[in-house]
Amino acid sequence: MDNKTIYYRPLPPKPATLLIIERGKQLRIVSLSGSMSIGRESPVVYNDITLKSGIVSKNHGEFIYEDSDGSYYYRDNNSLNGTFYNGYKLERLNDRGSRAVKLSDGDILRIDCDNLINPRSDAVVLVFSTKFAIGEAWHRYDLLDKSSVKIGRNCADGIALTDFMASRNHAQLNRINGNWYISDCGSVNGLAVNKNIIDGQYMLNIFDVINIANTTLIFLGSEIIYNEVSMNVEKHDYANRSVVMGVNIADVRASRGFSKKTLLNNINLDIESGDFVLILGGSGAGKTTFIRSIMGDNKPGVSVTGQVMFDNMDLYKNFKMLKHKIGFVPQFPTTRDNDTVYNTICDAAEIKLAGEYSKAEIKQRVDHIIEKMMLTKLTNSLLRELSGGQRKRLEVALQAIGDQKVFILDEPDSGMDVATRVDLMVNLKNCTDKGDVVMVISHAPDDAAHLFTKVIVLAKSPRDDVGRLAFYGDVQNAYSFFGVNTLGDIVKIINAEGGQGRVDEYIDKFEMTRRG
């Protein structure tokens, strides 16, 4: 195999959505699936996305998908009224248009006059998202005749959220001297405005984006619009996956006396909904350090430079809001063999949800998790009657009570025979069928290689004794990239002990693929 040739099959464009807000018109969500143009509805100019407003140009702008980093960008095509990006007007760069700006979840594009405090009646707002779903229900709440408004789960006299992870009395809106302020009411998971956690009162500006658990609310001055969080447990459509976790780690360092030792460097990857991810690498490659870093659970003396993003919010800066998003499934659980599956989940729910939830709500949550994790046929089974794989799926379900979206398991198949390992992996793959993510470290991955949707390969470079990313992609691309037929052979190629020790070759090669 020619080592200078890079064999890599690009993934299709990542789907994203635009929430389109035109005053006096119905809210709508459109799907982005690669590069697309946007402009005013016209019989003579074609656009992929059309708007009604008269201040929109016929050829207003374009969304550009860049496959080298899997990101969307927006460029204004020197339109008459221009485009504002998160409150700043995009300036003309050349005859083609403005500088292209990279979009991330929650970014706001606005077509309006220059006075954003007093928007035009025909202004248009576009909210970019990787999590809004086509067909998702959105609601409007009129603020015109209000002076204060409660926001909470099933709130009877305010903005009633269907989001199970919202507190019963989560937040409060108050009108003071003509301005609206929002404050947290001691909620369990906190609230954020424009991706920043809010303590105390915060004065809202038009088009501020408020995040409460899984709910997005957008302040429009005279009203608030917000999405309805569904308890739907339909099978996840992997073709319409969304980014659940974005990992952009520059360095992980550990204090060693008066100096610092770099453990990991340059780990950049996106984990998407429905992914079943294998974390592969030899001893000392940094797998455990990687896991701790994406959980925000580093040992004392270990520091991380970079970001781990959930819903495009920084895990480290917004830990209170995001800590419930990821769960670590212990290798040796403390469940009791003589309990039934149903009673075991009920016990976990009563402990995790005590105080904030009623008995009826806890039962509803238990029933939802049982259905979501496909445990319905096992509810009356004793734990000692379960297979190893079924039991591990139950342990994932126990974590999911708290609304975790990502589940990590460190060598869950250790000491198992082949049949039991396959049963385990099939059960773990089933946990992703509703859009959750499962990540596993395994030293016998080939028994279930066909089940993994992504492979992370970590390797320690002998140049500086630092762990780096040697590959990230699907299994078939991994085979082509390393020129092998098994996942186990990848470890043999990069390992120095008992292998070929070609670590730096593949670290450099993978970096080349990312640069195009």
Side-chain angles (χ1 to χ4, degrees), residues 98-158:
S98 71
R99 173 178 62 90
V101 289
K102 186 175 182 178
L103 299 175
S104 59
D105 198 80
D107 282 346
I108 292 179
L109 299 170
R110 182 168 163 182
I111 301 170
D112 204 343
C113 63
D114 286 343
N115 184 7
L116 298 185
I117 297 175
N118 185 25
R120 292 177 54 137
S121 61
D122 50 359
V124 178
V125 173
L126 312 167
V127 183
F128 177 85
S129 177
T130 57
K131 63 180 181 178
F132 295 157
I134 300 296
E136 188 171 27
W138 284 78
H139 303 284
R140 296 179 184 266
Y141 188 89
D142 194 344
L143 298 173
L144 284 176
D145 59 348
K146 308 291 193 308
S147 59
S148 66
V149 178
K150 294 179 180 178
I151 306 174
R153 190 179 74 253
N154 301 322
C155 179
D157 55 349

Side-chain angles (χ1 to χ4, degrees), residues 472-487:
Y472 178 58
D474 61 33
V475 173
Q476 290 303 317
N477 268 327
Y479 292 155
S480 297
F481 184 82
F482 289 97
V484 297
N485 296 313
T486 71
L487 295 170

Side-chain angles (χ1 to χ4, degrees), residues 142-270:
D142 194 344
L143 298 173
L144 284 176
D145 59 348
K146 308 291 193 308
S147 59
S148 66
V149 178
K150 294 179 180 178
I151 306 174
R153 190 179 74 253
N154 301 322
C155 179
D157 55 349
I159 299 177
L161 306 182
T162 57
D163 190 341
F164 187 81
M165 297 312 296
S167 294
R168 193 181 303 279
N169 182 26
H170 201 108
Q172 177 89 17
L173 288 167
N174 293 300
R175 192 202 296 266
I176 303 173
N177 297 327
N179 295 312
W180 280 101
Y181 292 79
I182 191 168
S183 56
D184 192 302
C185 295
S187 66
V188 174
N189 294 315
L191 71 86
V193 178
N194 300 332
K195 308 173 191 175
N196 297 307
I197 280 190
I198 298 305
D199 292 318
Q201 283 198 133
Y202 178 88
M203 190 181 82
L204 293 171
N205 295 302
I206 291 177
F207 300 122
D208 276 349
V209 177
I210 304 162
N211 290 108
I212 292 178
N214 300 302
T215 304
T216 300
L217 305 94
I218 302 172
F219 176 71
L220 299 179
S222 61
E223 65 178 348
I224 277 186
I225 63 171
Y226 61 99
N227 63 320
E228 180 177 317
V229 176
S230 174
M231 295 282 280
N232 196 320
V233 293
E234 290 183 2
K235 188 175 178 67
H236 176 66
D237 180 7
Y238 188 71
N240 289 317
R241 65 205 183 280
S242 59
V243 175
V244 174
M245 176 195 291
V247 180
N248 300 284
I249 296 174
D251 282 295
V252 180
R253 296 185 179 184
S255 296
R256 302 283 171 85
F258 293 103
S259 62
K260 284 186 174 289
K261 161 67 176 172
T262 300
L263 306 178
L264 286 179
N265 177 262
N266 195 25
I267 310 296
N268 298 290
L269 52 90
D270 288 336

